[in-house]
Amino acid sequence: MDANEDAKQGRINPEVWEARDMRDALANRNISEVYRQLRMHGISQRQIAAMTGQSQSEVSEILKGRQVMAYDVLSRIAKGLRIPRGYMGLAYDEATQNQVVGDGDEQQAEEDESVKRRKFLAHAAQVTMGAAVFGPASTAWASSPGRTPAPGRIGMTDVRQVEAATRALRALDYQYGGGFCRDAVVAQLSWGQQMLQASGSEKVKSRLYVALADLHSLAGWTSFDIDLVDSARNHFAQALELAKQGDNHPLVANILYRMGRVYLHQDAPNDALKLFQLGQLAAQESGSELAVAVLCANEAWAYAAMGNAEQAMKLLGRTRDEFQRADVANAESWVRFFDETDVHAMIGTVHTTLAQQADPAHTRYAIPALRRATDAYGDDMARSKTFSLSMLATNHMLEGDIDHGAKVGSKALDCAEGLKSARVKKRMEPLRQEALRRSNNSDARDLAERMTEFFA
């Protein structure tokens, strides 16, 4: 079939990618030039749009010179046009990190974030409850293909290896942040996904579903921690499906709690609350008091973010009750993180949120809770300790104890030094703002300047 016939059928002859000029354009990720050369081969804007999943207006803008910087968009273009991924320097598994820094233009081609949140919520409801409760069923969440050979038949030893790798990688995330270990998580996942195609007993396969769900959840969490929200959402969606296949309700609850945290970070507490409430259904069905406590604490945070102090306090009370009844020592690994220290941290977080909004009186409850949390967190929980120290400093500032607040804030910055986490800046921004408001105080001014320099 000749090139003209290929063009008529909306196909691209693979030889097109081998031309020197095209290879140069691909190597430089010059999508404008790639599209221009495709037009010279008779491929229309409409056909390019259909193959890449873009609108014709987006294709037109790119042809006019708009740069494409986002890894996910580049990956989708390569897949749609059947470009060998290596020609564009794209990994053969999911992007381990966005290696090119854009100026935000690529976001124009993406769906509005609120639409994405609704789609995920619909997907979560469908998986959790078996029905599309909050909207139409979402689109399929495709998993990334792997390349490393996997066993043809698997046993429990293979599954335990996945579980051990997940535990080790999660420990690195807690200590150093998602940016330190996400590449390794995605690489492990690329190999682990292939095990789904292997043969094995029903018991082994069921445990594999749960192990891979937990690994996808960790991939989602580490992606979120370095601000790759779309990637996080996809991993959490796949984690939900696998956890449901493995009939593991506590893990479903945990995944929904984590995705809800993403939405809290995006200042969308209403959407976060819906996911927490879905997770609460799964937690209660599981019979795990510890899972219920986790969801109650985060529901309290969402209500606090919406200014509903009454509901926030009720749910904090229930958090304490459920935690006291929970068998923490024998809880499953993905919920065992929620110990007494985390309970104090969440109490402090909820009261801090309320204190920042309109009622500084909540500092009297936030400070002792956060002090207990920061004293108990070790170096292995550096990120959580950083967040708690930052909130503790903020509360001292709100109380008018500026000198002590600046001292604690300096400790928070010291703790943040070794973290590879995009969330740190967002979580510490309230402290910076409080310090800036009190810049007539030399300690506050020095802290604000140091924070501004640190996050520059």
Side-chain angles (χ1 to χ4, degrees):
M1 185 177 289
D2 62 23
N4 288 334
E5 186 59 29
D6 279 328
K8 290 177 183 177
Q9 298 297 323
R11 289 191 292 264
I12 299 173
N13 190 323
E15 293 179 3
V16 168
W17 311 122
E18 304 304 325
R20 183 183 181 89
D21 290 346
M22 180 64 85
R23 287 293 294 270
D24 288 344
L26 292 171
N28 293 318
R29 295 178 175 174
N30 186 348
I31 304 304
S32 296
E33 181 60 26
V34 171
Y35 284 5
R36 278 194 289 270
Q37 292 195 37
L38 288 178
R39 293 287 291 114
M40 291 169 62
H41 283 277
I43 304 297
S44 69
Q45 288 188 37
R46 181 183 59 78
Q47 290 168 328
I48 294 172
M51 286 186 278
T52 61
Q54 297 173 297
S55 67
Q56 287 192 56
S57 62
E58 291 167 34
V59 172
S60 177
E61 288 173 10
I62 292 170
L63 280 164
K64 291 175 183 176
R66 200 197 86 189
Q67 290 184 317
V68 178
M69 308 292 280
Y71 196 107
D72 289 348
V73 179
L74 290 166
S75 182
R76 193 173 70 219
I77 289 170
K79 181 179 180 181
L81 298 177
R82 298 187 179 180
I83 302 169
R85 292 173 65 86
Y87 289 8
M88 295 174 67
L90 301 173
Y92 279 90
D93 57 3
E94 177 172 320
T96 53
Q97 190 171 350
N98 192 343
Q99 298 296 327
V100 285
V101 180
D103 60 5
D105 286 347
E106 69 274 8
Q107 296 302 321
Q108 296 173 4
E110 302 298 328
E111 291 178 283
D112 181 80
E113 179 60 31
S114 62
V115 175
K116 294 175 183 178
R117 287 200 291 267
R118 286 197 297 272
K119 282 187 175 182
F120 185 90
L121 181 59
H123 177 77
Q126 192 170 35
V127 171
T128 308
M129 305 176 67
V133 176
F134 296 101
S138 61
T139 54
W141 305 85
S143 60
S144 302
R147 296 298 179 196
T148 307
R153 181 172 178 80
I154 58 171
M156 206 58 81
T157 299
D158 297 293
V159 180
R160 282 196 289 267
Q161 288 172 351
V162 175
E163 294 169 341
T166 304
R167 285 194 298 272
L169 291 165
R170 180 167 279 126
L172 291 173
D173 168 62
Y174 285 147
Q175 187 167 3
Y176 301 112
F180 184 83
C181 61
R182 180 182 180 269
D183 292 8
V185 176
V186 173
Q188 181 69 31
L189 191 54
S190 176
W191 177 80
Q193 280 286 117
Q194 294 179 92
M195 294 172 68
L196 290 171
Q197 308 304 318
S199 60
S201 69
E202 186 175 336
K203 184 177 180 181
V204 167
K205 295 287 276 191
S206 179
R207 184 160 167 178
L208 176 64
Y209 291 142
V210 174
L212 289 178
D214 194 27
L215 188 54
H216 264 298
S217 180
L218 179 58
W221 190 249
T222 53
S223 297
F224 160 51
D225 202 44
I226 58 174
D227 211 23
L228 295 179
V229 175
D230 283 345
S231 181
R233 190 174 3 244
N234 285 331
H235 281 299
F236 285 132
Q238 293 175 72
L240 272 179
E241 294 174 358
L242 286 164
K244 192 70 172 180
Q245 283 182 277
D247 196 29
N248 196 295
H249 296 290
L251 184 52
V252 169
N254 188 271
I255 295 162
L256 290 168
Y257 135 72
R258 292 184 184 278
M259 193 62 214
R261 288 287 286 269
V262 175
Y263 292 161
L264 273 182
H265 182 78
Q266 293 181 312
D267 299 319
N270 280 292
D271 289 326
L273 180 61
K274 291 171 186 175
L275 287 177
F276 294 148
Q277 289 170 337
L278 271 180
Q280 189 65 263
L281 294 176
Q284 291 174 9
E285 190 169 349
S286 75
S288 168
E289 289 90 352
L290 193 57
V292 171
V294 170
L295 270 301
C296 284
N298 283 275
E299 286 178 85
W301 189 359
Y303 276 117
M306 290 187 284
N308 190 333
E310 182 180 357
Q311 278 296 102
M313 292 303 97
K314 284 181 180 177
L315 282 156
L316 273 188
R318 189 178 171 199
T319 299
R320 295 188 189 92
D321 293 343
E322 296 290 348
F323 181 79
Q324 288 174 357
R325 286 198 293 269
D327 184 4
V328 179
N330 294 313
E332 292 169 298
S333 60
W334 44 80
V335 74
R336 207 178 300 148
F337 76 91
F338 197 73
D339 56 12
E340 188 172 0
T341 302
D342 252 48
V343 172
H344 290 305
M346 286 302 298
I347 291 170
T349 299
V350 172
H351 283 291
T352 300
T353 302
L354 291 168
Q356 288 173 310
Q357 289 197 338
D359 190 355
H362 282 275
T363 59
R364 74 182 69 169
Y365 308 107
I367 288 174
L370 290 168
R371 190 177 291 130
R372 291 185 66 173
T374 55
D375 288 346
Y377 280 133
D379 292 339
D380 58 333
M381 296 293 286
R383 185 177 54 205
S384 295
K385 186 167 187 172
T386 299
F387 293 163
S388 293
L389 281 168
S390 178
M391 288 186 289
L392 180 58
T394 300
N395 279 280
H396 283 302
M397 291 274 186
L398 289 169
E399 276 203 330
D401 192 353
I402 302 173
D403 293 343
H404 190 58
K407 183 178 178 180
V408 176
S410 184
K411 288 182 181 179
L413 272 178
D414 291 341
C415 197
E417 287 282 356
L419 292 173
K420 292 179 172 61
S421 168
R423 283 193 291 154
V424 171
K425 182 177 181 180
K426 176 73 178 286
R427 292 290 297 272
M428 295 185 75
E429 180 60 21
L431 173 59
R432 193 177 78 90
Q433 292 298 326
E434 292 301 329
L436 284 170
R437 290 189 188 100
R438 295 158 176 80
S439 57
N440 58 326
N441 178 289
S442 60
D443 290 332
R445 185 169 59 252
D446 290 345
L447 176 63
E449 289 175 356
R450 187 184 167 196
M451 293 185 76
T452 299
E453 182 179 349
F454 181 77
F455 292 123

